[in-house]
Amino acid sequence: MSIDLNALRVLAAVARVRSFRAAADQLGVTRSAVSQSVRKVEDALGTAVLRRTTRSVALTEAGETLLERVAPALAEIEEAIAATATPEDTPSGLLRLAVSSIAESFLSGDLLASFVAAHPRVRLDIVVTDAEFDIVAAGFDAGVRLGEVIERDMIAVPVSLEQRQIVVAAPAYLAQAGAPVHPRELTRHRCVGWRSSADTAPYRWEFSEDGQDFAVAVDPEVTTNDMALMVKMARAGAGLTIGMAETFAPSLREGTLRIVLEDFCPPLPGFFLFYPSRRHLPAKLRALVDHAKEWRRDHLRSESFANGERL
């Protein structure tokens, strides 16, 4: 049995964007060509790899099994072709990143804007998502997440300063409901919670006391996967919410939000750029890794000077 590699590449694109039209636009071909490629794969396998309706496209179980094994190989083939077609010391091509929505410092624009300015032949395709998945199987070159949720077989490079997760609320809410003095009191408060996706449980708020980590399962009155909405709801007095300190920094400076339970919120290592361990790292990814390291060093130096420290 033989399957055209290009047809598999087309199938992977359809699965990634969940649309024949979007895949055609991304690949620069017609929608008919995309349909024909998918049909070639299904004819060769003798089974359907996609479920199609007028509103959605999704992989069948057979399709998921196929791409789970094939996607990493396709990525390696594309990298080999790119490395052969362009000098290895010239970063170029499409760099696909899956970035956590709460990675404020990475998504602020400064790091990414300076990177594309320094490497005009590299194009960035950034998907902001809090879902946990295999970035290689999904066709991404790298991802950015908190270090604690990165798989052990990945190479991880810090791309932020030390982070801290805090609990905040509007002054009006605290005046009316009072400020909790211990995290376990959160179950008696109105809370605005977070979940990564519709099919996952709400996040259990994490704290530390006397060197011991623990979590509190709050019962949020409002739950969302959008951090910006959580900030807005908290500012409007809807209740207590939790997130990275840098997310709330503007509101804290303005006085529209205040920190509570500060003694139970220790610092965290922060966000990491992670990617699979490979002997030959593509020039485009190596360029981003080096740029991120330099950007972080510059910000650490600036923070040290701001704190009156000598390097």
Side-chain angles (χ1 to χ4, degrees):
M1 180 177 61
S2 176
I3 299 179
D4 183 358
L5 285 179
N6 188 60
L8 289 173
R9 176 171 168 264
V10 172
L11 172 62
V14 173
R16 187 165 58 241
V17 298
R18 297 180 180 274
S19 164
F20 278 64
R21 185 182 302 280
D25 292 341
Q26 188 178 90
L27 297 171
V29 299
T30 65
R31 186 175 178 182
S32 174
V34 170
S35 297
Q36 290 175 16
S37 293
V38 172
R39 192 176 302 116
K40 285 181 182 178
V41 175
E42 293 181 327
D43 288 346
L45 294 173
T47 188
V49 293
L50 290 174
R51 290 190 299 271
R52 312 163 180 83
T53 70
T54 56
R55 292 177 296 179
S56 66
V57 175
L59 288 169
T60 62
E61 184 177 355
E64 289 179 353
T65 301
L66 174 67
L67 282 186
E68 184 178 348
R69 301 290 298 274
V70 167
L74 288 175
E76 293 287 348
I77 291 171
E78 290 184 359
E79 286 172 11
I81 294 173
T84 304
T86 20
E88 186 58 28
D89 61 352
T90 305
S92 62
L94 181 65
L95 189 60
R96 301 192 69 237
L97 306 175
V99 183
S100 169
S101 67
I102 57 175
E104 296 278 346
S105 54
F106 189 86
L107 293 171
S108 64
D110 181 19
L111 187 157
L112 295 173
S114 56
F115 173 74
V116 295
H119 302 284
R121 296 182 62 180
V122 177
R123 295 176 295 119
L124 293 179
D125 180 7
I126 302 168
V127 173
V128 179
T129 175
D130 294 303
E132 294 183 22
F133 56 89
D134 184 343
I135 61 168
V136 176
F140 290 93
D141 296 286
V144 175
R145 294 178 190 159
L146 286 172
E148 61 193 39
V149 295
I150 295 175
E151 295 84 353
R152 289 175 178 261
D153 61 345
M154 291 286 173
I155 304 298
V157 177
V159 291
S160 76
L161 304 182
E162 193 174 68
Q163 300 290 301
R164 193 172 181 221
Q165 187 166 248
I166 59 174
V167 178
V168 299
Y173 175 82
L174 295 175
Q176 177 236 335
V181 297
H182 192 279
R184 303 209 184 277
E185 296 178 17
L186 290 169
T187 56
R188 301 197 297 268
H189 278 265
R190 299 204 313 270
C191 295
V192 179
W194 179 83
R195 71 167 83 229
S196 60
S197 61
D199 57 354
T200 59
Y203 168 71
R204 289 168 60 91
W205 296 17
E206 297 176 335
F207 301 95
S208 182
E209 184 177 21
D210 298 328
Q212 298 295 316
D213 296 334
F214 66 98
V216 177
V218 302
D219 185 18
E221 291 195 349
V222 178
T223 305
T224 178
N225 69 336
D226 182 28
M227 196 69 215
L229 178 58
M230 293 173 67
V231 174
K232 292 174 183 176
M233 294 293 290
R235 285 167 58 112
L240 297 151
T241 195
I242 193 170
M244 292 298 160
E246 62 182 16
T247 300
F248 300 121
S251 299
L252 294 171
R253 286 194 296 268
E254 297 166 2
T256 52
L257 289 176
R258 292 182 185 168
I259 303 177
V260 299
L261 303 174
E262 193 166 7
D263 292 341
F264 300 91
C265 301
L268 303 169
F271 293 95
F272 290 76
L273 173 70
F274 67 98
Y275 52 92
S277 175
R278 293 174 183 160
R279 283 179 52 202
H280 303 293
L281 200 63
K284 59 186 179 181
L285 182 53
R286 168 54 61 192
L288 178 62
V289 169
D290 292 342
H291 187 85
K293 289 179 178 178
E294 183 178 351
W295 180 90
R296 184 173 181 271
R297 280 196 301 268
D298 289 344
H299 281 69
L300 281 171
R301 188 177 297 113
S302 298
E303 185 177 75
S304 296
F305 281 129
N307 294 332
E309 301 172 9
R310 294 184 61 186
L311 296 178

